[in-house]
Amino acid sequence: MVMHTVSSYRFESLEETISQLSKEDCQIIAGGTDIMVQHKSPRGVPAKFEKPIVFIDHLKELKKIYQNNQDIHIGACCSYSELLKHPLIPKILKVAIQQIAAPAIRNRGTLGGNICNASPAGDTLPLLYIYNAKIKLRSSKGERLIEIKDFIQGPRKVKISKDEILTEIILPEVQEEGTHFVFEKVANRRADAIAKISFAGSLRLDEGRIIDARFAFGAVGPTVVRFMDIEQTIVGEAFPLDNMVIDRVVAGFDRKINPIDDHRSTAVYRKTVALNLLRYFLKKRAFKEGHRIN
Amino acid sequence: MIKFKLNGKEVETSAPPTLRLIDLLRDEFDLIGTKEGCGDGECGACSVMVNNLVQNSCLIPIGAIECADILTIDGYSKTELFKILSDCYSEAGAVQCGFCIPGMVMASAALLSENPNPTEEEIREGISGNLCRCTGYNMIVDAISLAAKKGDGIW
């Protein structure tokens, strides 16, 4: 048997890693929890990759978490477990991370990996969308920032050049006080499951009125979706919301969301559950003490 | 050459970097205590410790374990902590076919080292990545709870 092997790199520094990426088109591997399954070979045979591999999960430069003014900067290679333990990570993001996989994968999978894998069902993505997270990319030519909604183009497709690497995820102006958050994931099993549908919502109130509303749905389209035009329609409304307002918002999403049938769920189920989760959040969930994050 | 620590010994391998850790352990080092169930990171049978953190060895390319400290069930079974877990698994009747047990023990060990007095809910969370198709989990939860008490002070 001819063994299919490719060259691989594991540099001591981010600089050397970036320098290699400027010379050669490589496959970056962080935790590997998705990519090793996608590239799996029969038992005992190395996972098959067409491009040279660059391992990055050990790079200290990509494991920092810090605050800059109101923004929280998260290194791309922070594992889920590291995020769960860090005091700067918003509580609702921890609630979502707690629902990702199980301890063994949370010790290995990374936030940057979850984003670059760009699954429509990626567990951290709905919250990153409602936070308006920014992605910092670096190459030998310099750095650039891109909004997460522009970075993720479709299933497994992200807007990154061959010479770039995702270095940081930035959560701008995180304000937990006075904001009601929710993250919901519906799947076959509580641990180690891929979402059939996921939903993140936030409502920010001031003197009984909504001053900011954000809703994101996962696994209902090729990417996570948000509709700012609908969100805008409830800004200024008194809270608790009138039933007619709730009906109007739910009907708005009913027209916009178009999920598909696949091996994990059906379009009808996905749409029904998505709208129910939204309605439940608008009606009840936001009142519940256990889901108030402040 | 990839160099790392395996069950307390410095070792090296010339196997390709995208080989999975589970294949390296079983085929090159004959450490067959670690089992492969699903090969997708969903069943936990292949659990090992990497730098004291429980991880799925079916998802780890060996190129990523340079300099790491790997502990498998074959190494862990020589420790005092294992004896407590082993006794408690027996006492609680937590082992039936046994295939999930090496992974279940590694997940138990990881949980107790981080949280020596877990609640039932924390135990269930700690082993949530490990599937057992025989016991219905209750006896395994009992075993871990018993181990927490019997090993009080040493976890």
Side-chain angles (χ1 to χ4, degrees):
Chain A
M1 193 180 86
V2 180
M3 195 78 108
H4 178 94
T5 54
V6 294
S7 49
S8 77
Y9 307 99
R10 187 178 181 279
F11 297 105
E12 287 306 309
S13 72
L14 181 60
E15 280 310 320
E16 290 168 274
T17 305
I18 287 167
S19 161
Q20 187 62 36
L21 293 175
S22 70
K23 291 177 210 145
E24 195 174 13
D25 183 13
C26 294
Q27 173 66 57
I28 295 172
I29 298 186
T33 55
D34 281 312
I35 208 163
M36 285 300 283
V37 176
Q38 289 154 14
H39 292 257
K40 195 162 89 168
S41 297
R43 207 206 72 73
V45 180
K48 201 177 165 189
F49 292 90
E50 301 302 325
K51 300 182 217 171
I53 307 293
V54 178
F55 293 105
I56 60 164
D57 68 314
H58 60 290
L59 292 175
K60 290 190 178 64
E61 298 98 319
L62 300 180
K63 284 190 166 286
K64 291 176 190 152
I65 300 173
Y66 61 95
Q67 194 162 6
N68 187 2
N69 298 324
Q70 291 279 58
D71 301 350
I72 295 168
H73 294 241
I74 304 170
C77 278
C78 290
S79 72
Y80 299 123
S81 301
E82 286 160 351
L83 299 179
L84 281 176
K85 286 181 189 138
H86 203 283
L88 282 177
I89 300 301
K91 287 184 192 126
I92 186 66
L93 190 54
K94 290 184 178 173
V95 169
I97 291 169
Q98 198 70 49
Q99 293 182 60
I100 296 179
I105 287 183
R106 292 201 291 267
N107 284 336
R108 187 138 201 99
T110 66
L111 188 60
N114 201 224
I115 294 167
C116 288
N117 188 50
S119 160
D123 284 326
T124 63
L125 303 183
L127 276 167
L128 296 178
Y129 272 67
I130 67 169
Y131 273 120
N132 293 324
K134 289 190 172 67
I135 305 301
K136 191 189 264 186
L137 302 166
R138 203 166 138 190
S139 73
S140 55
K141 292 172 217 136
E143 284 183 338
R144 69 181 172 111
L145 285 175
I146 180 169
E147 299 263 348
I148 190 159
K149 67 173 167 47
D150 301 323
F151 183 63
I152 296 179
Q153 305 267 294
R156 318 240 174 280
K157 270 179 72 183
V158 292
K159 215 172 189 171
I160 192 165
S161 306
K162 288 168 185 172
D163 61 346
E164 284 179 316
I165 186 167
L166 195 169
T167 55
E168 274 183 11
I169 297 93
I170 302 168
L171 307 181
E173 292 176 56
V174 174
Q175 293 176 316
E176 294 198 88
E177 212 172 304
T179 306
H180 303 275
F181 284 102
V182 73
F183 174 75
E184 305 266 18
K185 173 180 171 180
V186 178
N188 272 350
R189 177 183 161 203
R190 275 179 66 181
D192 284 343
I194 295 171
K196 296 173 184 213
I197 172 96
S198 56
F199 169 66
S202 80
L203 288 176
R204 188 164 170 77
L205 304 178
D206 187 34
E207 293 178 0
R209 293 207 172 260
I210 294 172
I211 54 169
D212 187 82
R214 303 176 190 189
F215 314 105
F217 294 90
V220 298
T223 66
V224 166
V225 288
R226 256 183 84 177
F227 298 103
M228 271 76 148
D229 49 345
I230 302 180
E231 292 172 2
Q232 280 303 318
T233 65
I234 62 167
V235 170
E237 296 282 354
F239 196 84
L241 288 164
D242 191 83
N243 276 337
M244 275 171 59
V245 176
I246 294 176
D247 286 344
R248 195 189 71 218
V249 173
V250 173
F253 278 101
D254 192 3
R255 282 191 294 274
K256 296 235 181 183
I257 293 176
N258 289 305
I260 55 162
D261 289 329
D262 67 8
H263 61 290
R264 209 163 282 124
S265 189
T266 63
V268 173
Y269 180 85
R270 285 187 161 117
K271 188 158 195 171
T272 308
V273 173
L275 298 179
N276 285 349
L277 290 172
L278 172 68
R279 183 180 289 278
Y280 191 58
F281 175 59
L282 293 175
K283 225 174 183 163
K284 291 185 178 164
R285 215 63 195 255
F287 292 104
K288 280 197 175 175
E289 204 54 42
H291 288 265
R292 269 176 61 175
I293 309 291
N294 55 30
Chain B
M1 260 325 169
I2 298 163
K3 292 180 183 175
F4 62 104
K5 203 183 212 183
L6 178 58
N7 294 332
K9 284 186 200 140
E10 299 292 340
V11 295
E12 57 181 41
T13 178
S14 55
T18 63
L19 187 72
R20 304 176 309 165
L21 179 58
I22 185 158
D23 294 325
L24 184 77
L25 294 173
R26 293 180 57 90
D27 299 346
E28 187 169 324
F29 291 97
D30 289 325
L31 297 171
I32 56 173
T34 304
K35 308 298 183 202
E36 177 168 4
C38 66
D40 289 338
E42 291 175 10
C43 79
C46 67
S47 301
V48 299
M49 303 278 194
V50 180
N51 299 329
N52 295 317
L53 297 172
V54 67
Q55 298 190 4
N56 302 103
S57 62
C58 76
L59 299 178
I60 305 175
I62 61 168
I65 60 157
E66 175 81 40
C67 302
D69 185 355
I70 310 286
L71 180 66
T72 75
I73 186 70
D74 298 274
Y76 189 68
S77 64
K78 296 185 175 76
T79 65
E80 284 302 308
L81 295 174
F82 172 81
K83 286 200 183 70
I84 297 170
L85 273 170
S86 174
D87 291 348
C88 294
Y89 266 68
S90 304
E91 198 176 324
V95 181
Q96 290 187 30
C97 92
F99 192 84
C100 73
I101 298 299
M104 207 57 95
V105 167
M106 296 312 277
S108 310
L111 168 69
L112 290 170
S113 72
E114 194 162 305
N115 179 1
N117 293 299
T119 62
E120 183 187 330
E121 201 185 332
E122 287 164 344
I123 293 174
R124 289 185 187 276
E125 168 64 25
I127 59 166
S128 62
N130 297 70
L131 294 180
C132 169
R133 299 286 83 158
C134 305
T135 62
Y137 303 102
N138 290 340
M139 285 99 97
I140 294 175
V141 173
D142 292 345
I144 297 170
S145 178
L146 199 59
K149 289 188 198 92
K150 281 200 175 177
D152 192 22
I154 67 163
W155 297 107

